[in-house]
Structures are given as C-alpha cells and as structure tokens.
Amino acid sequence: NSKVIQTPRYLVKGQGQKAKMRCIPEKGHPVVFWYQQNKNNEFKFLINFQNQEVLQQIDMTEKRFSAECPSNSPCSLEIQSSEAGDSALYLCASSLSRNTLYFGEGSRLIVV
Amino acid sequence: DAKTTQPDSMESTEGETVHLPCSHATISGNEYIYWYRQVPLQGPEYVTHGLQQNTTNSMAFLAIASDRKSSTLILTHVSLRDAAVYHCILRVAGTGYQNFYFGKGTSLTVIP
C-alpha cells in the first residue's frame, strides 16, 4: 500500500473549470514531484518541491497550473482552467532526497 | 524526448523467468538506471536501481551491460501479480531539471 496519499482518486471537470488535486507525501520526505501520465503511459514532469520551495517546473505548469507544498498541509496541484488535453493521471511522488521516488496512486482527471 | 527504449509488450508463463530489456544508448556517466512497475489504477512501484554493477533484491535482478548502454530486468518465477507495465528510467545524479526520464514501458502479460 502506498504511503503517499493522493485525493481525490477521480475528478470530472468541464472545460474551463478549475481542477484541484492534493497529495500528502510520505512522512519525513521533503521532496515532492508531480507528474502527468497520459493514456499512452507517457510521463510528463510538471513540478517539484523541496520543502515549500519550487525547485523546477515546466512552462505549462508555470502558466496554467498552480502548485504549492505548504508546511503542515497537503501539497496541491490546481489547473486554473481545464482543457480537454489535461485529461490524464496526475501522480505525486515523494523522496528523502532526489533518489528513489515513492508514488501515490494518482488522481485521474477527466475533462469533458 | 525519451532516453530509453523498451519493447511495448512481452509475455511469460507463470513460474518462468522473464528478461525485460531496456536500451539507453546515450546514457551519461552520472545517470542511474531505475526500474518501476505499474499496475492499472495504481501509481508506479519502485523495483530496483543501479549505476554500473548488477544488483539484486527480493523483487528482481538488474543486469547492466559493461558499456551501460543497455540493461535487463530479470524476474524469476513470475506470478500473476507480476503482470504490470515495467518502466525503465534514467535519473541524473545530483541537481537537475526533470531528473527522472520515464520511458513508455513494457507491458508484461503473465499467462497462468
């Protein structure tokens, strides 16, 4: 069973709606990654954090997504205005450093 | 761009040994080879990793070619629970942007 907890497991949004996903990293893990996995099983890195600070993020994340990892609260990834192409499995992973990543079960977003 | 190449699918019979290949011809000296596996409706699960030497754990044996341009994940006595998509991943040591490069993965089918 995964020790990285992601909620919700599924969400359905209309185009233009906000979509928010949450992640509780494994206890004691300061590093958090978000990935998008499409229907072809391809992964796209979105953003990563060390404690509350953003380490790296791609352009798409910077423009249309917002993400944060506040202290003592779940991390979150929010799509400001959902598009059909955003339909995917969003995976959160945590790590003690940048070594082995431990993944949650994911949040599956369907944009209709 | 994907940095690893894996067959799309492979098939094995319960109790057999299966060899899952991965090609990474452009691997850098500071990149580790990681293997994860993923079943439907779940996030990827860590299997093993290595840099240069072959490694083994309770889940699998990882054989790394001497030139490091390919690797093989070896699963012995496979069971139905080993049916999954196996991802071969390169990870840059130290600081880095998008420091996990995921391949498409190999879908392993296990026949009873």
Side-chain angles (χ1 to χ4, degrees), chain B residues 3-5 21-28 33 51-52 63-72 88 90:
Chain B
K3 296 185 67 176
T4 63
T5 303
C22 181
S23 172
H24 25 81
T26 59
I27 189 171
S28 301
I33 302 156
L51 182 64
Q52 197 160 10
I64 301 174
S66 56
D67 63 4
R68 299 209 326 124
K69 293 184 177 182
S70 65
S71 61
T72 303
C88 172
L90 299 184

Side-chain angles (χ1 to χ4, degrees), chain B residues 19-69:
Chain B
H19 293 70
L20 301 173
C22 181
S23 172
H24 25 81
T26 59
I27 189 171
S28 301
N30 63 348
E31 286 182 311
Y32 288 79
I33 302 156
Y34 272 76
W35 284 82
Y36 282 77
R37 68 181 186 183
Q38 186 177 20
V39 298
L41 304 180
Q42 293 186 22
E45 176 188 23
Y46 169 78
V47 177
T48 189
H49 75 282
L51 182 64
Q52 197 160 10
Q53 304 297 322
N54 296 339
T55 62
T56 188
N57 63 20
S58 60
M59 296 181 73
F61 179 83
L62 175 60
I64 301 174
S66 56
D67 63 4
R68 299 209 326 124
K69 293 184 177 182

Side-chain angles (χ1 to χ4, degrees), chain B residues 70-92:
Chain B
S70 65
S71 61
T72 303
L73 186 71
I74 301 170
L75 307 176
T76 58
H77 308 293
V78 293
S79 71
L80 296 178
R81 288 175 296 181
D82 293 316
V85 176
Y86 286 79
H87 293 279
C88 172
I89 302 156
L90 299 184
R91 173 195 163 263
V92 177

Side-chain angles (χ1 to χ4, degrees), chain A residues 17-36:
Chain A
Q17 288 187 319
K18 287 186 179 181
K20 188 168 186 175
M21 293 153 273
R22 292 177 176 82
C23 170
I24 301 175
E26 190 166 333
K27 190 174 182 180
H29 284 192
V31 178
V32 172
F33 280 72
W34 284 97
Y35 287 88
Q36 179 194 65

Side-chain angles (χ1 to χ4, degrees), chain A residues 92-111:
Chain A
C92 176
S94 72
S95 174
L96 274 175
S97 62
R98 289 183 193 169
N99 293 317
T100 303
L101 290 185
Y102 296 93
F103 286 84
E105 294 187 341
S107 292
R108 182 166 297 282
L109 170 65
I110 300 170
V111 181

